[in-house]
């Protein structure tokens, strides 16, 4: 089988595993209190099911990265969104809304445009040790900024999760290419050990960040993860690994249009998520009754009835 087709096939199966893991994480997040710690999650079987599905998706993804470039393999992860949105709606006992379908379609069209610009050659370059350390430090700085308290924490944690996962994929490609390279270089070196440590750190960090992001719902956070992941990985591939977009300036315009469409799809999914979280809006009902009247009129007490004097005769008998 052609290396590119094998990378695509492995990516498709990987996307299915990641979609099932995202739904499992979302359901677990909905049953977990906001203040629950990591140790409490580790005691739940649902968490380990999600970890197993993520591990299966990651192994398939690593295999795909051995046959295809980052700019090809990463955008195929968008299929996770196609599978996870209807799966999440079914798990919640509802149908997928029209806005959710539109958001999903726009996100996929945008990522499809990015996929058309991707190169198709097998990877052959790897990150040097200074490059890997620089990528790791920059990623940690970005994640720290996105994790600060503020508005829309779910989407910001989702962006941080997508970035860390994309960087982990780029570093994983360095490992797979270096290990499978038959140039006779050492299998174990400080560079590979450092890259392996960064991969494990960012992979676990991305998993925990996505778990936090899914507390508010599945659609919009998963769309942000799906969008940020290939963008981060492609940026590393284009800047440091010698990968190129196909088609020259035209591909750059197509990539920009695809990014705009994908961002619009994320916005639609975010609105649909907010609507599903509060389907009825503010409940209308009778106006609240003020227990204390705004104006109390106190009347003066009526005097007690005084009996009229009765004339009496001598001897005590009253007159008629």
């Amino acid at each position: 089988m052609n290396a590119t087709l094998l990378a695509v096939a492995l990516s498709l199966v990987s996307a299915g595993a990641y979609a099932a893991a995202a739904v499992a994480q979302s359901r677990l997040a909905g049953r977990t209190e906001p203040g629950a710690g990591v140790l409490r999650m580790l005691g739940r079987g649902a968490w380990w099911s999600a970890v197993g599905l993520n591990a299966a998706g990651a192994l398939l993804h690593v295999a795909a990265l051995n046959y295809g470039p980052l700019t090809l393999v990463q955008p195929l992860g968008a299929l996770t969104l196609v599978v996870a949105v209807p799966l999440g709606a079914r798990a919640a006992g509802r149908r997928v809304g029209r806005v959710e379908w539109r958001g999903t379609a726009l996100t996929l069209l945008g990522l499809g445009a990015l996929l058309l610009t991707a190169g198709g050659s097998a990877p052959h370059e790897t990150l040097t040790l200074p490059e890997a350390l620089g990528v790791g430090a920059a990623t940690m700085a970005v994640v720290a900024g996105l994790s600060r308290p503020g508005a829309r924490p779910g989407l910001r944690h989702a962006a941080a999760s997508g970035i860390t996962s994309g960087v982990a994929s780029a570093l994983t490609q360095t490992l797979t290419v270096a290990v499978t390279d038959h140039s006779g270089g050492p299998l174990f070196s400080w560079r590979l050990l450092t890259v392996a440590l960064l991969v494990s750190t960012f992979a676990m960090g991305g998993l925990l960040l996505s778990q936090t992001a899914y507390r508010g719902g599945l659609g919009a956070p998963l769309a942000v993860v799906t969008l940020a992941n290939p963008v981060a990985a492609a940026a590393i591939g284009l800047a440091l690994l010698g990968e190129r977009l196909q088609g020259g300036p035209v591909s750059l315009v197509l990539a920009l249009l695809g990014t705009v469409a994908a961002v619009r799809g994320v916005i639609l999914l975010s609105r649909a998520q907010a609507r599903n979280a509060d389907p009825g809006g503010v409940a209308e009902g009778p106006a609240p009754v003020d227990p204390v009247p705004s104006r109390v009129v106190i009347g003066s007490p009526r005097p007690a009835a005084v009996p009229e004097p009765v004339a009496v005769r001598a001897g005590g008998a009253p007159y008629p």
Side-chain angles (χ1 to χ4, degrees):
M1 181 184 291
N2 184 283
T4 301
L5 293 178
L6 184 57
V8 171
L10 291 170
S11 298
L12 295 180
V13 184
S14 173
Y18 277 132
V23 174
Q25 284 184 264
S26 177
R27 296 186 65 184
L28 176 61
R31 299 193 301 264
T32 305
E33 298 80 6
V38 176
L39 293 178
R40 189 169 182 179
M41 277 195 305
L42 294 179
R44 298 192 176 187
W47 165 256
W48 291 109
S49 298
V51 170
L53 289 168
N54 273 301
L59 290 175
L60 292 166
H61 186 71
V62 169
L65 287 173
N66 191 41
Y67 296 101
L70 285 169
T71 50
L72 172 67
V73 174
Q74 293 300 121
L76 287 173
L79 295 175
T80 301
L81 190 65
V82 178
V83 180
V85 168
L87 275 180
R90 183 176 181 180
R94 62 175 181 83
R95 295 183 178 180
V96 181
R98 186 178 303 174
V99 177
E100 287 178 298
W101 282 125
R102 288 176 56 196
T104 302
L106 281 174
T107 304
L108 291 176
L109 285 175
L111 290 171
L114 294 175
L115 181 62
L116 291 176
T117 64
S121 59
H124 54 86
E125 295 190 21
T126 59
L127 296 174
T128 64
L129 180 58
E131 288 174 342
L133 291 175
V135 167
T139 303
M140 291 179 184
V142 172
V143 170
L146 291 172
S147 301
R148 296 174 60 185
R152 294 187 178 275
L155 296 184
R156 287 189 291 104
H157 283 101
S161 174
I163 291 172
T164 53
S165 299
V167 172
S169 295
L171 296 172
T172 299
Q173 188 181 71
T174 289
L175 281 179
T176 56
V177 173
V179 169
T180 57
D181 187 13
H182 302 289
S183 60
L187 184 60
F188 296 101
S189 63
W190 282 110
R191 179 178 70 118
L192 294 185
L193 290 176
T194 302
V195 171
L197 179 61
L198 291 174
V199 167
S200 60
T201 301
F202 288 143
M204 181 56 65
L207 184 63
L208 295 176
L209 286 167
S210 64
Q211 182 66 50
T212 305
Y214 294 150
R215 286 176 178 170
L218 179 65
L222 181 58
V224 173
V225 171
T226 306
L227 179 61
N229 188 313
V231 170
I236 295 174
L238 294 172
L240 300 175
L241 295 176
E243 297 183 5
R244 295 290 181 267
L245 297 177
Q246 295 180 347
V250 177
S251 65
L252 181 59
V253 175
L254 184 61
L256 291 176
L257 292 176
T259 302
V260 172
V263 170
R264 175 60 180 169
V266 170
I267 293 174
L268 288 177
L269 285 170
S270 178
R271 292 176 180 174
Q273 175 182 307
R275 191 175 303 173
N276 291 331
D278 187 14
V282 179
E284 296 182 0
V289 178
D290 189 355
V292 180
S294 59
R295 181 182 178 186
V296 180
V297 179
I298 303 177
S300 58
R302 297 180 62 183
V306 180
E308 298 180 359
V310 180
V312 293
R313 296 176 180 158
Y319 287 103

